[in-house]
Amino acid sequence: MNNTSQKETSAIYTVTGFFSGLLITLLIYLLLFAVTEKKFTFDLLALFHTDIPLLFIVDALPFAGILVGTLLSIKHNRFLQVIDERSKRESAANDFMKLAIQNLTRGNLNASMTDNAIEQELIHNLVALQSRLKENRESELQNREADKQRNWSSHGLAEFGDILRTYSSDRKQLGYAVISNLVRYLDINQGGFFVISEQKGKRTLEMIACHAYDRNKFPDQTINWGEGLIGAVAIEKKSYYTDKIPDGYLTITSGLGRAGPRHLLIVPLVLNDEVFGVFELASFNKFEEHHIQLVERVAENTATTLNILYSNLRTEQLLKETQEQAAQLTRQEEKVLQNINELKETQAEAARQSEEFVSFTNTVNHTLIRAEYNNDGKLLYANTRFLKMLGYSGNREVEGMHLTRFIHEEDRAWFDKIWERLAGGGAHFEGYMRHVTKMGQDLWIMATYTCVRNEDNSIGKVLFLALDATSQKRNNLRLEGQINAINKLSPNAEFSPDGRLLVYNDLFESTLKYPTNEFKNKNIFDFIAQSDQERFNEIWEQVVAGTAYQGQLRMIGKFEEEVWFRTTFTSLIDIYGEVDKILFLAFEITKEKELEYFMRTQNEKLKENEEQTRLKSLDLKKQIGEMEQVWLEEKRSLQRETSIYSNILENQPLPAIGVNNQGFIVIYNRAAENFYGKSPKKVINKPIHVLFKENQTDPAIQAFIDPGKPIIETTKKRVSLPLHGQKMKEADISIIKTESGSELIYTLLIHSDY
């Protein structure tokens, strides 16, 4: 509060005290003259002073009023000064809070949070919040680094997976591609790739590829089994990492000179507890944990690829040996057949033709449908089975009928070409045919038409032999319909026991998106991801052993996309009871798996969000509790200050009306009660409109009674005020603004000689 306001307040209180004392003095003298019923004269006044000495005290009342007004002004100014100082402290605290919040929201977490003028509890809370934000930032940085390492490892595994698939058929190309890309991807200096080699019962580690080795001129270097660090790692089947490399163990040569590496990593290639080789990697820089994990995963995948490569080589060797044995057996069979034919030719021609022909004819007539036609196609003879199957009673009924009478109308055009060839002495016909019975029903047969020549080699007749195949044909048609339906709805294929693709339908081809020319040399293992090879090997071995498999299977398409099937593998047995091939039936469920993965990811995110929401809710509840505590303290402080201020104004001789920033009356002293003639119960905590109408003409009064308008402090302004009965009265007013915490109180003082 400035000195000018203090002087004005002191002057107001002094003048008010003086006039109050003077008014009391005048009232006493008026009452005195009224009681004595005498007119006022100075002589009579002097006489009263002589008779009543107490009147001298009455004469001193104006000066006593000045003294009382001065004392009240001093007390009022001190109170306002205390309120002003408290307001400044709270303003400084608010400024400090704003600055602290700005620093925290802008990420300046190292800003100072100390101020001797601020409450230590608030400082402690801000420092705790700053520490929590620092911890959150560090945690976020760690999570980002972990995500970066996971992405780096995933990208590396995918890249090396492509390399292993690309060079899976050549060990040396595979070795160089893997080791050179390891050196490049890990950003190290050199590396070597050793594989297990056995010659004459002796096991060694042979280097098949290296990158930036000082001994690069000798890539055929071999290490005895168990020799040195590499041999020890191969025996123990565990990775070895050290930053204490013996002098002269390795050197790195560049254009700037030669130097020894400071870090060495040796990783074995292990699959199913079997060692296939060793990686040796050296670098000037340290190998991080995720670097080592990537190398071990690549080593495991490389071991799997080498295992498949060796298996394929062994399979090719066995297949070659089997083919050679089969060719040798074929030659032996041909020789045996030749001997048998020569033996048969030595038998007596006459006995064979008489006895065997009669027996053969009887057998044929008993088991086969038999008929004979001339060159024109007319029936010459039909056996009993022919007549019975076609529904005729005897030869007389069919003799002389043309062949086309027994052929189905839809097949006549097709069969005319066959008969034309037969009648001209062409090759015999053998295959399925559809005949028509006497009643017009279809009869499916397995037929053979053969020309029978005369002694002069001319065509004498055409012999027709057949077997009833109607039920078999119907079954075949039903099976063909089922197979066609399966081909339309389900991808299916057939594989040999060693995994070679034999037969496949269009849906299998379109699902995996391979062109037809690339399917010729494919193997079932080419469609399986490297990470699933070990598990699928077990499944395949079970299926080849005769146990069917049914379940979900992930395959890799032409463009490395994942295709999921709900599949069945069933082994098909040949006539010798051995597995001839493997039948693959499947339904694509890629979209179902994608939906399943999406739902699982969403559930994980939902759980994570729920946990974060729960933590934020706990923090929010804590902050709300702290804010409620601060609000209660401010409310109690405000109530105490308002009570003090109200007590001061209660004894104020001027009418005083206090309104808070919501427009409710909180101060209403005795002088105001006398001025308006309304009791405090009808006014306190009531809207200001109980004393003032809304249609006020003066801007100061309008702002005072309207909470939405800003109020300007006013000193000694002449306005018209409503009295009880809504009569208007001219009076001087002053509006004083008092700020306490977040609440404002505007006090209206009325200077009136009521």
Side-chain angles (χ1 to χ4, degrees), residues 323-336:
Q323 290 174 345
E324 291 178 356
Q325 293 175 359
Q328 185 175 0
L329 286 174
T330 301
R331 290 193 294 270
Q332 292 176 356
E333 288 178 358
E334 291 176 353
K335 189 176 295 185
V336 170

PDB file of all heavy atoms in Angstrom, residues 323-336:
ATOM      1  N   GLN A 323      20.021 -95.122 -57.935  1.00  0.00           N
ATOM      2  CA  GLN A 323      19.760 -95.155 -59.374  1.00  0.00           C
ATOM      3  C   GLN A 323      20.696 -96.117 -60.093  1.00  0.00           C
ATOM      4  O   GLN A 323      20.283 -96.837 -61.013  1.00  0.00           O
ATOM      5  CB  GLN A 323      19.897 -93.740 -59.945  1.00  0.00           C
ATOM      6  CG  GLN A 323      18.781 -92.798 -59.508  1.00  0.00           C
ATOM      7  CD  GLN A 323      19.013 -91.375 -59.974  1.00  0.00           C
ATOM      8  OE1 GLN A 323      20.121 -91.021 -60.390  1.00  0.00           O
ATOM      9  NE2 GLN A 323      17.966 -90.552 -59.895  1.00  0.00           N
ATOM     10  N   GLU A 324      21.963 -96.126 -59.659  1.00  0.00           N
ATOM     11  CA  GLU A 324      22.912 -97.064 -60.275  1.00  0.00           C
ATOM     12  C   GLU A 324      22.506 -98.515 -59.989  1.00  0.00           C
ATOM     13  O   GLU A 324      22.565 -99.381 -60.881  1.00  0.00           O
ATOM     14  CB  GLU A 324      24.318 -96.786 -59.741  1.00  0.00           C
ATOM     15  CG  GLU A 324      24.900 -95.453 -60.222  1.00  0.00           C
ATOM     16  CD  GLU A 324      26.274 -95.192 -59.639  1.00  0.00           C
ATOM     17  OE1 GLU A 324      26.722 -96.018 -58.798  1.00  0.00           O
ATOM     18  OE2 GLU A 324      26.905 -94.180 -60.018  1.00  0.00           O
ATOM     19  N   GLN A 325      22.063 -98.766 -58.730  1.00  0.00           N
ATOM     20  CA  GLN A 325      21.619-100.129 -58.396  1.00  0.00           C
ATOM     21  C   GLN A 325      20.369-100.510 -59.181  1.00  0.00           C
ATOM     22  O   GLN A 325      20.229-101.651 -59.638  1.00  0.00           O
ATOM     23  CB  GLN A 325      21.352-100.219 -56.891  1.00  0.00           C
ATOM     24  CG  GLN A 325      22.599-100.088 -56.030  1.00  0.00           C
ATOM     25  CD  GLN A 325      22.285-100.063 -54.545  1.00  0.00           C
ATOM     26  OE1 GLN A 325      21.115-100.120 -54.160  1.00  0.00           O
ATOM     27  NE2 GLN A 325      23.336 -99.983 -53.721  1.00  0.00           N
ATOM     28  N   ALA A 326      19.435 -99.538 -59.345  1.00  0.00           N
ATOM     29  CA  ALA A 326      18.219 -99.826 -60.108  1.00  0.00           C
ATOM     30  C   ALA A 326      18.544-100.138 -61.565  1.00  0.00           C
ATOM     31  O   ALA A 326      17.938-101.039 -62.176  1.00  0.00           O
ATOM     32  CB  ALA A 326      17.260 -98.631 -60.027  1.00  0.00           C
ATOM     33  N   ALA A 327      19.495 -99.392 -62.133  1.00  0.00           N
ATOM     34  CA  ALA A 327      19.885 -99.663 -63.521  1.00  0.00           C
ATOM     35  C   ALA A 327      20.499-101.056 -63.659  1.00  0.00           C
ATOM     36  O   ALA A 327      20.232-101.781 -64.630  1.00  0.00           O
ATOM     37  CB  ALA A 327      20.865 -98.593 -63.994  1.00  0.00           C
ATOM     38  N   GLN A 328      21.294-101.436 -62.659  1.00  0.00           N
ATOM     39  CA  GLN A 328      21.912-102.766 -62.700  1.00  0.00           C
ATOM     40  C   GLN A 328      20.849-103.860 -62.590  1.00  0.00           C
ATOM     41  O   GLN A 328      20.906-104.877 -63.310  1.00  0.00           O
ATOM     42  CB  GLN A 328      22.925-102.886 -61.558  1.00  0.00           C
ATOM     43  CG  GLN A 328      23.720-104.184 -61.576  1.00  0.00           C
ATOM     44  CD  GLN A 328      24.789-104.209 -60.493  1.00  0.00           C
ATOM     45  OE1 GLN A 328      24.923-103.256 -59.749  1.00  0.00           O
ATOM     46  NE2 GLN A 328      25.519-105.302 -60.415  1.00  0.00           N
ATOM     47  N   LEU A 329      19.846-103.652 -61.710  1.00  0.00           N
ATOM     48  CA  LEU A 329      18.760-104.628 -61.586  1.00  0.00           C
ATOM     49  C   LEU A 329      17.961-104.728 -62.877  1.00  0.00           C
ATOM     50  O   LEU A 329      17.525-105.824 -63.280  1.00  0.00           O
ATOM     51  CB  LEU A 329      17.839-104.240 -60.432  1.00  0.00           C
ATOM     52  CG  LEU A 329      18.384-104.476 -59.022  1.00  0.00           C
ATOM     53  CD1 LEU A 329      17.417-103.905 -57.982  1.00  0.00           C
ATOM     54  CD2 LEU A 329      18.582-105.974 -58.784  1.00  0.00           C
ATOM     55  N   THR A 330      17.744-103.575 -63.533  1.00  0.00           N
ATOM     56  CA  THR A 330      16.993-103.583 -64.790  1.00  0.00           C
ATOM     57  C   THR A 330      17.706-104.421 -65.849  1.00  0.00           C
ATOM     58  O   THR A 330      17.081-105.201 -66.587  1.00  0.00           O
ATOM     59  CB  THR A 330      16.797-102.144 -65.285  1.00  0.00           C
ATOM     60  OG1 THR A 330      16.091-101.404 -64.285  1.00  0.00           O
ATOM     61  CG2 THR A 330      16.000-102.113 -66.578  1.00  0.00           C
ATOM     62  N   ARG A 331      19.016-104.255 -65.900  1.00  0.00           N
ATOM     63  CA  ARG A 331      19.783-105.041 -66.883  1.00  0.00           C
ATOM     64  C   ARG A 331      19.690-106.534 -66.568  1.00  0.00           C
ATOM     65  O   ARG A 331      19.552-107.372 -67.467  1.00  0.00           O
ATOM     66  CB  ARG A 331      21.248-104.581 -66.883  1.00  0.00           C
ATOM     67  CG  ARG A 331      21.441-103.186 -67.485  1.00  0.00           C
ATOM     68  CD  ARG A 331      22.925-102.904 -67.747  1.00  0.00           C
ATOM     69  NE  ARG A 331      23.683-102.837 -66.484  1.00  0.00           N
ATOM     70  CZ  ARG A 331      23.871-101.726 -65.783  1.00  0.00           C
ATOM     71  NH1 ARG A 331      23.341-100.571 -66.207  1.00  0.00           N
ATOM     72  NH2 ARG A 331      24.593-101.744 -64.681  1.00  0.00           N
ATOM     73  N   GLN A 332      19.744-106.861 -65.282  1.00  0.00           N
ATOM     74  CA  GLN A 332      19.636-108.275 -64.906  1.00  0.00           C
ATOM     75  C   GLN A 332      18.251-108.827 -65.227  1.00  0.00           C
ATOM     76  O   GLN A 332      18.118-109.967 -65.701  1.00  0.00           O
ATOM     77  CB  GLN A 332      19.929-108.428 -63.415  1.00  0.00           C
ATOM     78  CG  GLN A 332      21.377-108.143 -63.044  1.00  0.00           C
ATOM     79  CD  GLN A 332      21.622-108.208 -61.542  1.00  0.00           C
ATOM     80  OE1 GLN A 332      20.684-108.388 -60.777  1.00  0.00           O
ATOM     81  NE2 GLN A 332      22.889-108.091 -61.150  1.00  0.00           N
ATOM     82  N   GLU A 333      17.195-108.041 -64.995  1.00  0.00           N
ATOM     83  CA  GLU A 333      15.837-108.496 -65.296  1.00  0.00           C
ATOM     84  C   GLU A 333      15.657-108.720 -66.797  1.00  0.00           C
ATOM     85  O   GLU A 333      14.996-109.687 -67.231  1.00  0.00           O
ATOM     86  CB  GLU A 333      14.829-107.464 -64.787  1.00  0.00           C
ATOM     87  CG  GLU A 333      14.687-107.433 -63.277  1.00  0.00           C
ATOM     88  CD  GLU A 333      13.720-106.368 -62.818  1.00  0.00           C
ATOM     89  OE1 GLU A 333      13.202-105.632 -63.689  1.00  0.00           O
ATOM     90  OE2 GLU A 333      13.483-106.255 -61.595  1.00  0.00           O
ATOM     91  N   GLU A 334      16.215-107.817 -67.587  1.00  0.00           N
ATOM     92  CA  GLU A 334      16.112-107.984 -69.040  1.00  0.00           C
ATOM     93  C   GLU A 334      16.775-109.285 -69.499  1.00  0.00           C
ATOM     94  O   GLU A 334      16.256-109.995 -70.378  1.00  0.00           O
ATOM     95  CB  GLU A 334      16.748-106.783 -69.739  1.00  0.00           C
ATOM     96  CG  GLU A 334      15.959-105.489 -69.568  1.00  0.00           C
ATOM     97  CD  GLU A 334      16.668-104.308 -70.202  1.00  0.00           C
ATOM     98  OE1 GLU A 334      17.821-104.483 -70.641  1.00  0.00           O
ATOM     99  OE2 GLU A 334      16.058-103.207 -70.262  1.00  0.00           O
ATOM    100  N   LYS A 335      17.893-109.550 -68.866  1.00  0.00           N
ATOM    101  CA  LYS A 335      18.593-110.782 -69.247  1.00  0.00           C
ATOM    102  C   LYS A 335      17.777-112.008 -68.845  1.00  0.00           C
ATOM    103  O   LYS A 335      17.678-112.991 -69.601  1.00  0.00           O
ATOM    104  CB  LYS A 335      19.968-110.812 -68.569  1.00  0.00           C
ATOM    105  CG  LYS A 335      20.862-111.932 -69.044  1.00  0.00           C
ATOM    106  CD  LYS A 335      22.239-111.832 -68.397  1.00  0.00           C
ATOM    107  CE  LYS A 335      22.951-110.567 -68.847  1.00  0.00           C
ATOM    108  NZ  LYS A 335      24.335-110.517 -68.312  1.00  0.00           N
ATOM    109  N   VAL A 336      17.145-111.994 -67.664  1.00  0.00           N
ATOM    110  CA  VAL A 336      16.320-113.114 -67.213  1.00  0.00           C
ATOM    111  C   VAL A 336      15.109-113.280 -68.116  1.00  0.00           C
ATOM    112  O   VAL A 336      14.741-114.403 -68.504  1.00  0.00           O
ATOM    113  CB  VAL A 336      15.883-112.903 -65.757  1.00  0.00           C
ATOM    114  CG1 VAL A 336      14.839-113.932 -65.353  1.00  0.00           C
ATOM    115  CG2 VAL A 336      17.095-112.996 -64.830  1.00  0.00           C
TER     116      VAL A 336
END
